[in-house]
Amino acid sequence: QVQLVESGGGLVQSGDSLRLSCEASGTIIGNKIVGWFRQAPGKQRERVARISIGGTITYGDSVKGRFTISRDDAKNTIYLQMDSLKPEDSGVYYCWAWATGNVWGQGTQVTVSS
């Protein structure tokens, strides 16, 4: 059974940085499409960043140039480095993988104060 466990969220000020981690078990992330989504209160879940099996990376328009997704296959872990955070980046961040269906982590809260 595939499981994803996020960590690294918290409360920061505008302009600060945070790094989220997502440790996978039950699968090898190197052969999966993986990524990060976020959901703010009252809004739909949106894709933040994604890494394809071949390593192609795509970002949501709102985070381009500020967020960096990476994957450490040796640790079976996905990261999201978030710089220059803004209050509108606040929300619950979910790790995601495609493994014959959507697999989601439990989510980690990120709150950016102005």
Side-chain angles (χ1 to χ4, degrees), residues 5 7 30 32 42 66 70 76 87 93 105:
V5 178
S7 62
K32 298 288 186 296
R66 299 187 298 120
S70 60
N76 218 29
Y93 282 69

PDB file of all heavy atoms in Angstrom, residues 5 7 30 32 42 66 70 76 87 93 105:
ATOM      1  N   VAL A   5       3.793  10.728   3.565  1.00  0.00           N
ATOM      2  CA  VAL A   5       3.744  11.447   4.836  1.00  0.00           C
ATOM      3  C   VAL A   5       4.509  12.759   4.686  1.00  0.00           C
ATOM      4  O   VAL A   5       5.723  12.762   4.472  1.00  0.00           O
ATOM      5  CB  VAL A   5       4.352  10.614   5.983  1.00  0.00           C
ATOM      6  CG1 VAL A   5       4.317  11.410   7.277  1.00  0.00           C
ATOM      7  CG2 VAL A   5       3.597   9.296   6.129  1.00  0.00           C
ATOM      8  N   SER A   7       5.818  16.611   5.956  1.00  0.00           N
ATOM      9  CA  SER A   7       6.297  17.318   7.138  1.00  0.00           C
ATOM     10  C   SER A   7       6.888  18.654   6.688  1.00  0.00           C
ATOM     11  O   SER A   7       7.161  18.847   5.505  1.00  0.00           O
ATOM     12  CB  SER A   7       7.347  16.497   7.886  1.00  0.00           C
ATOM     13  OG  SER A   7       8.471  16.266   7.070  1.00  0.00           O
ATOM     14  N   GLY A  30      10.660   7.040  -7.839  1.00  0.00           N
ATOM     15  CA  GLY A  30      11.402   7.288  -9.069  1.00  0.00           C
ATOM     16  C   GLY A  30      10.667   6.849 -10.315  1.00  0.00           C
ATOM     17  O   GLY A  30      10.954   7.339 -11.408  1.00  0.00           O
ATOM     18  N   LYS A  32       7.244   7.014 -10.550  1.00  0.00           N
ATOM     19  CA  LYS A  32       5.896   7.558 -10.407  1.00  0.00           C
ATOM     20  C   LYS A  32       5.890   9.046 -10.763  1.00  0.00           C
ATOM     21  O   LYS A  32       6.904   9.727 -10.627  1.00  0.00           O
ATOM     22  CB  LYS A  32       5.393   7.400  -8.964  1.00  0.00           C
ATOM     23  CG  LYS A  32       5.270   5.981  -8.478  1.00  0.00           C
ATOM     24  CD  LYS A  32       4.127   5.267  -9.121  1.00  0.00           C
ATOM     25  CE  LYS A  32       3.909   3.881  -8.541  1.00  0.00           C
ATOM     26  NZ  LYS A  32       5.037   2.971  -8.790  1.00  0.00           N
ATOM     27  N   GLY A  42     -12.093  27.408   1.468  1.00  0.00           N
ATOM     28  CA  GLY A  42     -13.091  27.884   0.521  1.00  0.00           C
ATOM     29  C   GLY A  42     -12.670  27.836  -0.929  1.00  0.00           C
ATOM     30  O   GLY A  42     -13.403  28.302  -1.802  1.00  0.00           O
ATOM     31  N   ARG A  66       9.509  30.967  -7.501  1.00  0.00           N
ATOM     32  CA  ARG A  66       9.615  31.052  -6.038  1.00  0.00           C
ATOM     33  C   ARG A  66       9.698  29.669  -5.386  1.00  0.00           C
ATOM     34  O   ARG A  66      10.333  29.521  -4.341  1.00  0.00           O
ATOM     35  CB  ARG A  66       8.403  31.792  -5.464  1.00  0.00           C
ATOM     36  CG  ARG A  66       8.265  33.223  -5.960  1.00  0.00           C
ATOM     37  CD  ARG A  66       7.138  33.960  -5.216  1.00  0.00           C
ATOM     38  NE  ARG A  66       5.836  33.337  -5.430  1.00  0.00           N
ATOM     39  CZ  ARG A  66       5.065  32.848  -4.446  1.00  0.00           C
ATOM     40  NH1 ARG A  66       5.497  32.890  -3.193  1.00  0.00           N
ATOM     41  NH2 ARG A  66       3.892  32.301  -4.734  1.00  0.00           N
ATOM     42  N   SER A  70      11.731  18.940  -5.859  1.00  0.00           N
ATOM     43  CA  SER A  70      12.844  18.037  -6.133  1.00  0.00           C
ATOM     44  C   SER A  70      12.503  16.658  -5.592  1.00  0.00           C
ATOM     45  O   SER A  70      11.563  16.501  -4.806  1.00  0.00           O
ATOM     46  CB  SER A  70      14.151  18.563  -5.525  1.00  0.00           C
ATOM     47  OG  SER A  70      14.035  18.690  -4.124  1.00  0.00           O
ATOM     48  N   ASN A  76      13.697   8.142  -1.249  1.00  0.00           N
ATOM     49  CA  ASN A  76      12.282   7.962  -1.600  1.00  0.00           C
ATOM     50  C   ASN A  76      11.440   9.126  -1.062  1.00  0.00           C
ATOM     51  O   ASN A  76      10.361   8.926  -0.500  1.00  0.00           O
ATOM     52  CB  ASN A  76      11.748   6.635  -1.054  1.00  0.00           C
ATOM     53  CG  ASN A  76      10.794   5.958  -2.013  1.00  0.00           C
ATOM     54  OD1 ASN A  76      10.890   6.120  -3.236  1.00  0.00           O
ATOM     55  ND2 ASN A  76       9.858   5.203  -1.486  1.00  0.00           N
ATOM     56  N   PRO A  87       1.249  35.784   1.756  1.00  0.00           N
ATOM     57  CA  PRO A  87       0.054  35.340   2.497  1.00  0.00           C
ATOM     58  C   PRO A  87      -0.868  34.466   1.652  1.00  0.00           C
ATOM     59  O   PRO A  87      -1.486  33.523   2.187  1.00  0.00           O
ATOM     60  CB  PRO A  87      -0.620  36.663   2.872  1.00  0.00           C
ATOM     61  CG  PRO A  87       0.513  37.622   2.990  1.00  0.00           C
ATOM     62  CD  PRO A  87       1.475  37.237   1.886  1.00  0.00           C
ATOM     63  N   TYR A  93      -0.981  21.892   2.349  1.00  0.00           N
ATOM     64  CA  TYR A  93      -0.197  21.369   1.237  1.00  0.00           C
ATOM     65  C   TYR A  93      -0.209  19.843   1.291  1.00  0.00           C
ATOM     66  O   TYR A  93       0.066  19.244   2.331  1.00  0.00           O
ATOM     67  CB  TYR A  93       1.228  21.904   1.305  1.00  0.00           C
ATOM     68  CG  TYR A  93       1.340  23.324   0.819  1.00  0.00           C
ATOM     69  CD1 TYR A  93       0.774  24.375   1.544  1.00  0.00           C
ATOM     70  CD2 TYR A  93       1.977  23.625  -0.384  1.00  0.00           C
ATOM     71  CE1 TYR A  93       0.855  25.688   1.079  1.00  0.00           C
ATOM     72  CE2 TYR A  93       2.071  24.917  -0.856  1.00  0.00           C
ATOM     73  CZ  TYR A  93       1.503  25.941  -0.127  1.00  0.00           C
ATOM     74  OH  TYR A  93       1.579  27.245  -0.586  1.00  0.00           O
ATOM     75  N   GLY A 105      -1.109  12.428   0.559  1.00  0.00           N
ATOM     76  CA  GLY A 105      -0.659  12.478   1.935  1.00  0.00           C
ATOM     77  C   GLY A 105      -1.742  13.102   2.795  1.00  0.00           C
ATOM     78  O   GLY A 105      -2.800  13.504   2.307  1.00  0.00           O
TER      79      GLY A 105
END
